[in-house]
Amino acid sequence: MQRVLILMSDTGGGHRASAQALAAGFAERYGDRFNVQMIDLWTNYTPWPINQVPKSYRALVTDYLWLWKVAWRTGEQNVVTEPGMRLVGRLVRRAIRRAFDEYQPDVVISVHPLMQHVPLRLLRHTLHSSIPFVTVVTDLVSVASVWYHPEVDRCFVASEEAVRRAKRAGLRDSQICLVGLPIRPAFAKPVAAKESLRLALGLESERMTALLVGGGEGMGPVGEIARAVAARLVADGRNAQLVVICGRNEALRREMSAHPWPLPVRVEGFVQNMPEWMAASDCVVTKAGPGTIAEALVCGLPILLTGFIPGQEEGNVPFVTENGVGAYSEDPAQIAAILSGWFGPQRERLMEMGVKAKAMGRPQATFEIVEAIVGLLDK
Ligand code: UDP
């Protein structure tokens, strides 16, 4: 059995979701040929205070956005990143070496921007190991430069802009693969008809259905938007229902569950069956999370974007609007008006956007990535 080590971290839901997608892709394509393990290298293997970095991420992107913007811009300056990574490398080298000793990987896959420079340098220059090291970029468009390292064997990306940035960072054509984001294989499977799926999920089969979500953490003003949308849909007499998925945001789930809704609303916490919820819906209302966008495209769902994390999610907004697969607004009243239009007089436009979305989706990306990685091992 060959050993695959995936380096991830729970900064947002996307990195873990991508790691799980890849693990599922290996299992589905190759059965038990591979032993796939995923670890949060920073949280579980590095000393304080570096092991606090993943935990601080959520606070940064919700409560201290200005600080996140500064950190992002600083991270884009090579003069800062390079010496910074070297310093961190010196502090955590021994701890990371312990992870490699423990797992003895045959191939390493990084799905996190902060897991190229230090582990790769350690592998190549300290341990003199030549095992394949690949990066699977889990951002769509505005990919931070720390994602790219010229010594990787392959770098998998999901957009032309990400390819351009990879080249600017010094990667050669032969290292870059444009394939799409790794989403769970379940998204690539045929699903039941929308109406029967709705019934199976306990929804009403005939109502137009909007899925509201705020990433894995239930971030952003999801509650405020849900209330505005519900009121507007009722005022406009739409035959509609909402699914509000709160992710790991327990306070939001409680608040949404207690709200006296004027129309059918299904409230969920963190769901494991996102492919079914998406397939049962007519559109998704979300922050500009790359994972959710890639999944919605595969499901042929128009996307109403309600915000973005500065830096890494910024480019996802024009990616959606300029490709004609959705709209953008941060104002709950306007979001509600757009959605009511889509479920009313603009139903045809909704269908058109759905067709375009389906055409842009990359349902096979996960399998293409794992096959390419196995190709490196079989060389
Ligand atoms: N997700 C999920 N269950 C939930 C909420 C979210 O499986 O209840 C998944 C979602 O399908 C996507 C990921 O979490 O794969 C969210 O990634 P995205 O890039 O959209 O946002 P992030 O959470 O990384 O900010």
Side-chain angles (χ1 to χ4, degrees):
M1 207 186 246
Q2 285 177 296
R3 302 173 69 88
V4 179
L5 182 62
I6 305 181
L7 309 179
M8 50 77 66
S9 189
D10 281 319
T11 46
H15 304 296
R16 181 175 287 274
S18 298
Q20 285 169 338
L22 292 170
F26 274 104
E28 220 164 277
R29 270 288 185 276
Y30 301 100
D32 56 10
R33 177 177 160 193
F34 294 99
N35 172 355
V36 183
Q37 302 281 343
M38 52 183 107
I39 55 170
D40 186 332
L41 201 53
W42 294 120
T43 304
N44 297 332
Y45 285 88
T46 63
W48 189 90
I50 295 166
N51 62 0
Q52 300 299 304
V53 169
K55 248 197 229 161
S56 344
Y57 173 80
R58 185 161 199 264
L60 273 178
V61 297
T62 48
D63 303 330
Y64 300 96
L65 218 45
W66 64 271
L67 191 55
W68 174 249
K69 284 184 199 167
V70 173
W72 172 274
R73 282 204 206 107
T74 312
E76 286 308 281
Q77 311 297 321
N78 256 345
V79 282
V80 181
T81 329
E82 263 304 310
M85 283 294 178
R86 276 181 198 279
L87 176 67
V88 172
R90 250 180 247 133
L91 296 173
V92 302
R93 211 166 23 205
R94 284 212 351 240
I96 295 184
R97 188 178 182 151
R98 187 160 55 84
F100 287 137
D101 285 346
E102 211 172 290
Y103 286 94
Q104 297 284 326
D106 295 295
V107 57
V108 179
I109 305 172
S110 161
V111 295
H112 198 277
L114 296 181
M115 292 180 193
Q116 275 55 239
H117 293 66
V118 177
L120 192 49
R121 194 170 287 144
L122 177 78
L123 271 179
R124 296 287 186 260
H125 303 289
T126 308
L127 302 175
H128 302 290
S129 160
S130 58
I131 59 164
F133 187 108
V134 307
T135 299
V136 179
V137 176
T138 65
D139 282 325
L140 256 180
V141 181
S142 325
V143 178
S145 50
V146 278
W147 271 107
Y148 301 117
H149 195 289
E151 289 184 64
V152 290
D153 292 282
R154 288 288 181 281
C155 179
F156 298 92
V157 295
S159 69
E160 295 288 354
E161 176 59 21
V163 171
R164 271 190 289 278
R165 288 176 183 230
K167 287 185 182 166
R168 224 181 296 145
L171 274 73
R172 299 181 305 278
D173 284 341
S174 58
Q175 291 170 292
I176 308 166
C177 301
L178 175 54
V179 284
L181 285 194
I183 58 171
R184 282 160 280 179
F187 280 101
K189 301 231 164 79
V191 286
K194 202 163 269 192
E195 285 69 27
S196 50
L197 202 48
R198 282 181 189 158
L199 288 175
L201 290 168
L203 301 173
E204 293 193 27
S205 62
E206 301 301 325
R207 286 181 186 259
M208 295 294 286
T209 306
L211 175 68
L212 280 72
V213 61
E217 306 292 333
M219 273 169 62
V222 178
E224 200 185 330
I225 292 167
R227 285 191 296 273
V229 164
R232 179 69 188 243
L233 291 175
V234 170
D236 290 350
R238 307 284 181 245
N239 184 29
Q241 62 192 338
L242 305 181
V243 176
V244 184
I245 295 186
C246 306
R248 295 189 191 86
N249 189 339
E250 185 51 27
L252 176 66
R253 194 193 65 75
R254 274 200 304 269
E255 184 202 329
M256 294 289 94
S257 301
H259 189 72
W261 296 102
L263 83 181
V265 174
R266 176 67 171 269
V267 177
E268 292 284 325
F270 192 90
V271 300
Q272 297 295 344
N273 57 341
M274 189 61 92
E276 289 177 17
W277 290 108
M278 282 202 179
S281 302
D282 294 297
C283 69
V284 62
V285 182
T286 175
K287 77 181 181 78
T292 305
I293 292 173
E295 292 162 359
L297 293 177
V298 167
C299 296
L301 285 187
I303 305 161
L304 181 39
L305 293 177
T306 59
F308 60 87
I309 298 176
Q312 75 267 39
E313 290 183 352
E314 228 161 289
N316 299 350
V317 176
F319 180 81
V320 165
T321 55
E322 287 169 15
N323 280 303
V325 294
Y328 179 79
S329 172
E330 291 177 20
D331 172 24
Q334 202 180 359
I335 292 166
I338 295 170
L339 196 66
S340 180
W342 287 0
F343 284 2
Q346 289 159 27
R347 188 89 71 94
E348 211 164 291
R349 181 166 142 63
L350 185 72
M351 307 288 271
E352 281 165 15
M353 288 189 294
V355 171
K356 277 190 196 158
K358 189 93 191 163
M360 275 176 75
R362 308 287 294 255
Q364 298 302 321
T366 302
F367 296 120
E368 288 172 33
I369 294 169
V370 298
E371 282 165 13
I373 293 171
V374 173
L376 288 174
L377 277 167
D378 289 344
K379 249 206 250 172

